[in-house]
């Protein structure tokens, strides 16, 4: 049993003052349940739900950086690494494959780390850490993109580096 469960268990089943039955103490949690956010309270204590079950849901306007477009772009980037890797194995080092690897791999890693930050450091719970880590990731991605550019133009290139490392 975790300590959180041990500490909250007596509060959940404490007896009420006016009766001798054991009842759960959930009065403070009723307002925070997810189903009660859509209700409206009138002055006399009654509630109502706006709209009816037969009305259509109004959808938000489409945005190109959210939803399925963003998911499609991520998958396109991931899938594009497969033929790029095959082409570099078959053909060998080439400036075009070095260019594509130098762009696609940092963006692919950026999207992956951004998902980690979004999932494990949400802005609603950790606003400062989320902002710092997001901007740190952006700075790191730009630095890696510049480093890949410099390495591809002034050195042997990414494909040749992997080839030399593989045979070392």
């Amino acid at each position: 049993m975790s300590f959180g469960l041990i500490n909250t268990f007596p509060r959940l089943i404490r007896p009420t003052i006016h009766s001798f039955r054991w009842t759960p103490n959930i009065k403070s949690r009723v307002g925070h349940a997810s189903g009660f956010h859509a209700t409206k309270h009138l002055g006399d204590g009654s509630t109502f739900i706006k709209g009816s079950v037969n009305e259509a849901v109004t959808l938000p306007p489409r945005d190109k950086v959210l939803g399925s477009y963003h998911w499609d772009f991520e998958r396109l980037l991931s899938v594009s690494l497969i033929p790029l890797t095959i082409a570099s194995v078959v053909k060998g080092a080439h400036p075009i494959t070095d260019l594509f690897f130098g762009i696609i791999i940092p963006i692919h890693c950026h999207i992956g780390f951004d998902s980690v930050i979004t999932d494990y450091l949400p802005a609603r719970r950790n606003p400062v850490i989320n902002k710092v880590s997001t901007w740190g990731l952006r700075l790191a991605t730009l630095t890696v993109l510049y480093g890949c550019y410099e390495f591809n133009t002034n050195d042997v290139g990414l494909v040749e580096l992997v080839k030399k490392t593989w045979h070392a």
Side-chain angles (χ1 to χ4, degrees), residues 98-118:
D98 286 336
L99 171 75
F100 284 137
F101 271 125
I103 294 172
I104 292 175
I105 289 177
I107 293 174
H108 175 76
C109 293
H110 175 85
I111 290 172
F113 282 119
D114 188 46
S115 297
V116 170
I117 291 171
T118 302

Side-chain angles (χ1 to χ4, degrees), residues 9-149:
F9 188 70
R11 286 182 287 176
L12 291 175
I13 61 167
R14 80 171 56 126
T16 58
I17 297 172
H18 301 292
S19 68
F20 293 104
R21 305 183 309 162
W22 289 81
T23 58
N25 186 10
I26 60 168
K27 290 179 183 176
S28 63
R29 297 183 179 149
V30 170
H32 300 292
S34 62
F36 292 97
H37 291 291
T39 60
K40 303 289 181 187
H41 296 280
L42 296 176
D44 59 355
S46 61
T47 59
F48 69 95
I49 297 176
K50 183 180 177 184
S52 70
V53 294
N54 294 327
E55 292 181 11
V57 175
T58 57
L59 297 175
R62 289 182 170 251
D63 190 5
K64 296 234 184 250
V65 295
L66 297 174
S68 65
Y69 292 114
H70 192 253
W71 188 87
D72 290 340
F73 178 70
E74 290 175 3
R75 295 305 161 274
L76 178 69
L77 253 146
S78 300
V79 169
S80 68
L81 287 171
I82 296 169
L84 192 59
T85 305
I86 293 170
S88 64
V89 168
V90 171
K91 176 73 174 146
H94 194 273
I96 301 292
T97 56
D98 286 336
L99 171 75
F100 284 137
F101 271 125
I103 294 172
I104 292 175
I105 289 177
I107 293 174
H108 175 76
C109 293
H110 175 85
I111 290 172
F113 282 119
D114 188 46
S115 297
V116 170
I117 291 171
T118 302
D119 290 344
Y120 295 107
L121 299 171
R124 63 182 168 80
R125 280 193 304 164
N126 307 314
V128 174
I129 295 174
N130 180 286
K131 190 71 78 176
V132 167
S133 58
T134 300
W135 280 102
L137 176 64
R138 290 173 183 161
L139 179 68
T141 302
L142 289 175
T143 305
V144 169
L145 282 168
Y146 178 71
C148 287
Y149 167 75

